[in-house]
Amino acid sequence: MMLLKTSLRSFLAHKGRMVLSLLAVVLSVAFVSGTLVFSNTATATFDRLFASTASDLKVQQAKGELSDGGNGGKPRTVPIATQAKLAAEPGVKSAVGSVFSESNVLVDPATNKSVSPTGGAPTFVGNWTDSPRKTVDITSGHAPQGAGEIVLDADTAKKAGLGLGGKLRVIAQTGNHDYTIAGIATFRTTNPGAALAFLDTPTAQQDLLGETAYTSVEVFGDGSRTNDQLKTAALADLGSGYQAQTAKEQQEESAKGVGSFLGFMKYAMLGFAGISLLVGGFLIINTFSMLVAQRTREIGLLRAVGGSREQVNRSVLIEALLLGVLGSTLGLAGGLGLAVLLIQLMKAVGMNLDATSLAIDWTVPVASYGVGILITVIAAWIPARRASRISPMAALRDHGTPVEGAANRRRVVIGTLVTALGAAAMAGAAASSEGGTAGLLLGLGVLLSLVGFVVLGPLLAGGIVRVLGAALPALFGPAGKLAQRNALRNPRRTGATAAALMIGLALVTGASVVTASMVSSANAKVDSTVGADYGINSQVQGPGGAFTPAMVEAVKATKGLATVTEAKQLPARFTLPDGKQLEDGVTAVSGNFAENFAIPVTAGSIDSAIKDGGLLMPEKVVTEHNLKIGDKITVDYGNGHTQTLPLGAVPQRGNLFGDSPLASIDAVTKAVPATELPLDQALYGRAAAGADKTAVYNDLKKSLESYPQVAVFDQAGYKDLVQSQVNQLLYMIYGLLGLAIVVAVLGVVNTLALSVVERTREIGLLRAIGLSRRQLRRMVRLESVVIALFGAVLGTGLGLGWGITARQVLADQGLDILTIPTGTIVSILIGSAVVGLFAALVPAFRAARMNILAAIATD
């Protein structure tokens, strides 16, 4: 009890010095708890949506073994009679015929702009029915009546500025169809980001399917039979060619798609939260190390009156525990605010979640208190152990830093060994030809090299800080000289402070190297392998992004185009000569493919393979299975469509078409009827000899102006597109690493603030012998800049090593050109100096305000 009282009094006595450490814990825990609450809330919201709208039984045409009929293909349908058969089944209350298609784009005819989602969410157009479990309710207007009316969901209508009586165009596989908005429908629970429109049943069948059929029949039971019993009876009655899903199975399938996105987002954010926790650990280590150093006399007195080493150790750890509990509590509360903020951000992109019903299960407080307390206690263990080793007499004589000769020798040995192991792992990753092995070695190398640099940081501080601060005495006189010496006074403290900044900057530098190399490699491939002058892509993802026959004809009819290359994606299973099977997609391309793409090969000829009906297989597959040109490969496209094709060419790894097998459309149609082929996913065009490429480019855009979801790129535009996509990834990484950088800056502020307290008497003496307030503030600022630059130098060097190795590991994926982003590196160094100046503002101001006599009298 006495130990607890002592720890509590000490904690309260030094609470001001722990504020920044507390803030670091709060921020990190808030990131963890906020991520978990957001993920739980989103999952619970979608679970409610799927549970409230799923029918008891959904009956569809059976999926092919390899394909679901999507990817721009015609929707699977069931005959009209299916609905009547199911309605007559025992235990069925009602059966509703449903028509739904994803292969659509919604357009505002007045502006000729797409109103469909562009971030990957689908666009559903279907028939309005009197289903017992509707997804939406009509809240304005009425249900569609006749061929010219449509109902639009409220979220899409609001974003597009559309209302009752407005016009809406649906671009479907069957053509373009214009309607008048007769009603506005509001989601009962939440809109997962999709656009939703409804037609009456005959119009939906004609305009979406081109036939009188349903895409599914939704069955609702009367309660006398279970859903599984309904399923068994329905399949038995309908015979082969059908599949049925109970409500539970529908919910699981729907949740799987949403869950994959939410899961990726959740673990990515938790990963970056972990980085900020690691950075915060260094801040806590520094805080308790400096507090222990400042309380040397107090600890010595405690030991002198009978306190044991274990009691001193526990005293410091109890203070850390109090800090962890308080920080975790505040962080948990802050996480709720972060979760609300994330929900509002999701609303901005169309995913409407309810912030009034946050889902907080037991994992949230357990994870919050677990990580907050654990990281705090572990970080404080090193200073606590150091405090327990101070002898009573040494503590009573002086409060300086103990001699660390033996510790430094151990640091040299351990740090050098760990760093060498990390370098060896990264060298192994760069040399490995196996992607999985290389990735594991790279991860191990990153971890070991990081630990090694952290261990060696205090030893590197002496040399690097001397170099970084060499010009300070000449430029800033006594203030500059004092700043340099202060940074060198306690290398362990300087190293730990810089390490926090080093981690974030190393990750930023490494990511910048990889992304810069990605852009350079893609641009080089465009220059060397793409003969096509234009690329035509859809800005809508999913089935709605496929090219309808009308779009393809519009492209081909453009004046000045010599060739147009089409590309389709089909699922396929390959049976190789050794009997092994490989399930992958195949890209089917036009016979003029080689005219527009000069893909390098390791064997065979692209032109001959495409024109002669051969198959192009990835180099990795060919090597692993010892394939030779001419070897026969059986291709199964599903639904009974099979053919045997010879191996005609082997493209080099990392080409623009990735590692997808390629074949000609003509060859594929010998096995798969043209009516069952999916729509084109991309188109490429080449201008005729002598044609004005700019004029052809403008004509091509004019040919497709009725399809606003389609974008036309020339080679320069394609390079800009790649750059913008990579920048989006890089900015996301920068944003997520921002928390770690903020915590690292708090660490610099914390170190300087505690250092000012520790050197109170020294500062008073300096002021007494003539150092002005301005010189004192400059001294603190320059010390901060030197520490920040030290961390930036270590982080940049480490990040370059990581980035260069990662680029080599990804060379087989197309990153064959190494690019060092010198502009980014220079910006990091300049930014670090600015961060150092910013971090020193408050500590410098406090130091300059000290009363000289009171400072000198401080013990």
Side-chain angles (χ1 to χ4, degrees):
M1 183 59 69
M2 182 62 69
L3 181 63
L4 179 61
K5 289 182 179 180
T6 302
S7 301
L8 185 58
R9 286 174 181 171
S10 177
F11 180 82
L12 294 175
H14 301 96
K15 57 183 180 296
R17 304 180 191 182
M18 292 191 180
V19 168
L20 294 179
S21 294
L22 177 67
L23 185 56
V25 176
V26 169
L27 289 175
S28 301
V29 171
F31 211 96
V32 172
S33 62
T35 299
L36 292 176
V37 172
F38 166 75
S39 175
N40 292 345
T41 302
T43 301
T45 301
F46 286 114
D47 285 346
R48 289 195 299 270
L49 170 66
F50 301 142
S52 64
T53 59
S55 58
D56 293 330
L57 189 68
K58 181 178 183 178
V59 178
Q60 297 172 284
Q61 179 187 338
K63 292 182 181 180
E65 187 180 358
L66 298 174
S67 172
D68 62 0
N71 199 22
K74 182 180 177 182
R76 292 176 284 124
T77 59
V78 298
I80 289 291
T82 308
Q83 184 268 337
K85 282 186 179 181
L86 292 171
E89 285 284 335
V92 173
K93 183 177 182 180
S94 65
V96 179
S98 178
V99 178
F100 262 96
S101 172
E102 269 189 83
S103 302
N104 313 283
V105 176
L106 303 181
V107 175
D108 180 358
T111 61
N112 197 37
K113 291 183 178 180
S114 171
V115 298
S116 287
T118 58
T123 296
F124 292 109
V125 181
N127 64 324
W128 180 264
T129 63
D130 291 325
S131 170
R133 298 173 193 162
K134 291 187 180 71
T135 306
V136 295
D137 292 313
I138 294 179
T139 52
S140 180
H142 58 79
Q145 299 170 357
E149 293 187 344
I150 194 169
V151 170
L152 183 63
D153 76 88
D155 295 318
T156 303
K158 182 179 179 180
K159 284 188 291 185
L162 297 171
L164 294 178
K167 301 297 182 180
L168 184 67
R169 178 176 299 150
V170 176
I171 300 177
Q173 293 184 30
T174 58
N176 294 1
H177 309 281
D178 288 354
Y179 307 97
T180 299
I181 299 174
I184 301 296
T186 303
F187 279 82
R188 288 185 170 184
T189 51
T190 184
N191 181 357
L196 203 57
F198 298 92
L199 308 167
D200 68 5
T201 298
T203 305
Q205 291 171 332
Q206 182 63 35
D207 291 356
L208 302 179
L209 306 180
E211 62 175 308
T212 304
Y214 296 124
T215 54
S216 68
V217 176
E218 310 293 332
V219 178
F220 301 89
D222 60 11
S224 62
R225 285 187 169 188
T226 66
N227 292 346
D228 288 328
Q229 289 173 331
L230 290 174
K231 177 179 178 179
T232 302
L235 292 177
D237 187 33
L238 295 174
S240 62
Y242 293 87
Q243 70 175 35
Q245 290 179 304
T246 63
K248 181 180 179 182
E249 292 167 340
Q250 294 174 59
Q251 293 168 33
E252 289 173 351
E253 183 177 19
S254 299
K256 189 181 298 181
V258 176
S260 60
F261 165 72
L262 292 176
F264 170 79
M265 186 174 179
K266 171 183 175 180
Y267 291 114
M269 292 179 65
L270 287 177
F272 284 98
I275 294 171
S276 68
L277 281 167
L278 178 62
V279 172
F282 288 104
L283 192 160
I284 295 167
I285 289 174
N286 257 7
T287 299
F288 280 93
S289 294
M290 297 178 76
L291 288 176
V292 165
Q294 293 168 20
R295 290 161 50 197
T296 301
R297 291 181 181 274
E298 176 188 328
I299 293 172
L301 182 60
L302 183 63
R303 292 291 312 282
V305 298
S308 66
R309 287 188 173 185
E310 290 75 14
Q311 287 176 315
V312 171
N313 191 308
R314 287 199 297 271
S315 174
V316 176
L317 291 180
I318 288 174
E319 291 182 45
L321 178 63
L322 294 172
L323 178 67
V325 170
L326 181 58
S328 298
T329 302
L330 296 176
L332 178 58
L336 300 181
L338 177 61
V340 172
L341 176 62
L342 289 172
I343 288 172
Q344 297 304 319
L345 290 175
M346 288 297 101
K347 282 186 177 181
V349 299
M351 184 182 290
N352 292 327
L353 303 176
D354 187 4
T356 61
S357 57
L358 298 178
I360 307 173
D361 60 14
W362 64 269
T363 62
V364 177
V366 168
S368 300
Y369 283 100
V371 298
I373 294 173
L374 194 64
I375 194 68
T376 308
V377 172
I378 290 176
W381 180 78
I382 297 174
R385 186 166 172 266
R386 194 178 301 145
S388 68
R389 291 184 172 182
I390 298 175
S391 68
M393 296 307 297
L396 289 173
R397 282 196 303 267
D398 189 18
H399 59 271
T401 304
V403 178
E404 298 184 3
N408 283 342
R409 286 192 293 272
R410 288 195 300 271
R411 188 180 290 273
V412 169
V413 173
I414 295 172
T416 303
L417 178 61
V418 173
T419 303
L421 289 174
M426 288 197 290
S432 176
S433 59
E434 294 292 330
T437 302
L440 289 174
L441 287 174
L442 175 62
L444 180 63
V446 167
L447 178 62
L448 291 176
S449 59
L450 174 62
V451 173
F453 266 59
V454 169
V455 174
L456 289 175
L459 303 178
L460 296 173
I464 296 177
V465 169
R466 279 191 177 86
V467 173
L468 293 174
L472 295 183
L475 293 174
F476 301 102
K481 190 171 185 177
L482 287 169
Q484 183 192 34
R485 290 186 175 180
N486 286 336
L488 290 169
R489 175 184 296 184
N490 193 325
R492 176 184 284 174
R493 181 188 306 162
T494 300
T497 305
L501 197 58
M502 174 190 74
I503 295 171
L505 296 181
L507 290 169
V508 168
T509 304
S512 299
V513 171
V514 172
T515 52
S517 300
M518 191 183 300
V519 172
S520 299
S521 300
N523 290 345
K525 281 183 172 55
V526 170
D527 292 335
S528 63
T529 65
V530 178
D533 297 307
Y534 317 107
I536 303 100
N537 297 314
S538 176
Q539 296 174 306
V540 177
Q541 300 180 20
F547 291 88
T548 65
M551 296 179 193
V552 177
E553 288 305 314
V555 172
K556 290 182 176 180
T558 301
K559 183 180 177 181
L561 277 182
T563 61
V564 175
T565 298
E566 303 172 51
K568 305 174 183 287
Q569 295 289 334
L570 290 88
R573 180 185 293 116
F574 303 90
T575 302
L576 306 176
D578 59 7
K580 301 289 181 60
Q581 289 191 332
L582 173 68
E583 192 164 318
D584 198 351
V586 61
T587 301
V589 295
S590 304
N592 57 20
F593 177 78
E595 298 177 30
N596 285 330
F597 294 93
I599 295 178
V601 296
T602 59
S605 164
I606 298 287
D607 189 31
S608 298
I610 294 294
K611 289 181 178 178
D612 297 340
L615 187 64
L616 283 67
M617 291 297 285
E619 182 181 356
K620 181 180 180 181
V621 174
V622 171
T623 302
E624 289 178 353
H625 296 274
N626 298 314
L627 300 179
K628 302 182 298 296
I629 298 298
D631 283 352
K632 303 297 184 182
I633 299 173
T634 301
V635 187
D636 181 1
Y637 301 102
N639 299 322
H641 304 311
T642 304
Q643 67 180 166
T644 300
L645 298 175
L647 177 63
V650 183
Q652 286 184 5
R653 297 185 184 188
N655 64 78
L656 282 176
F657 282 80
D659 288 331
S660 172
L662 274 79
S664 71
I665 294 175
D666 291 339
V668 172
T669 51
K670 293 179 181 179
V672 182
T675 55
E676 295 184 28
L677 283 177
L679 300 179
D680 292 334
Q681 294 296 303
L683 299 171
Y684 307 93
R686 183 165 57 87
D692 184 338
K693 292 185 177 180
T694 302
V696 175
Y697 175 67
N698 292 330
D699 287 343
L700 188 55
K701 291 197 292 185
K702 188 174 181 180
S703 298
L704 294 168
E705 63 183 1
S706 297
Y707 307 100
Q709 77 275 22
V710 175
V712 180
F713 301 97
D714 57 12
Q715 290 198 7
Y718 180 76
K719 292 177 182 178
D720 291 340
L721 175 65
V722 171
Q723 180 72 66
S724 65
Q725 291 174 339
V726 171
N727 284 345
Q728 288 177 10
L729 172 65
L730 193 59
Y731 295 152
M732 182 186 73
I733 294 174
Y734 287 170
L736 291 172
L737 284 174
L739 177 62
I741 301 296
V742 168
V743 174
V745 172
L746 290 178
V748 178
V749 176
N750 185 66
T751 297
L752 291 172
L754 292 178
S755 179
V756 166
V757 173
E758 185 179 75
R759 303 199 308 251
T760 297
R761 187 177 184 187
E762 174 188 322
I763 289 171
L765 291 172
L766 287 172
R767 293 277 288 113
I769 61 175
L771 192 70
S772 67
R773 292 179 185 269
R774 182 179 180 183
Q775 287 176 313
L776 181 59
R777 287 195 298 267
R778 179 177 294 169
M779 178 190 76
V780 177
R781 288 197 298 266
L782 291 176
E783 180 183 353
S784 177
V785 169
V786 169
I787 293 174
L789 284 175
F790 174 51
V793 168
L794 291 184
T796 302
L798 199 56
L800 283 173
W802 294 351
I804 291 170
T805 306
R807 200 284 315 169
Q808 182 61 38
V809 169
L810 295 171
D812 286 344
Q813 305 301 317
L815 271 74
D816 45 11
I817 296 179
L818 173 64
T819 302
I820 304 298
T822 52
T824 300
I825 293 173
V826 171
S827 298
I828 287 174
L829 295 175
I830 295 174
S832 298
V834 173
V835 163
L837 285 173
F838 172 78
L841 290 178
V842 174
F845 180 73
R846 289 184 60 187
R849 291 188 61 190
M850 284 185 184
N851 180 280
I852 297 176
L853 295 178
I856 294 174
T858 301
D859 186 10

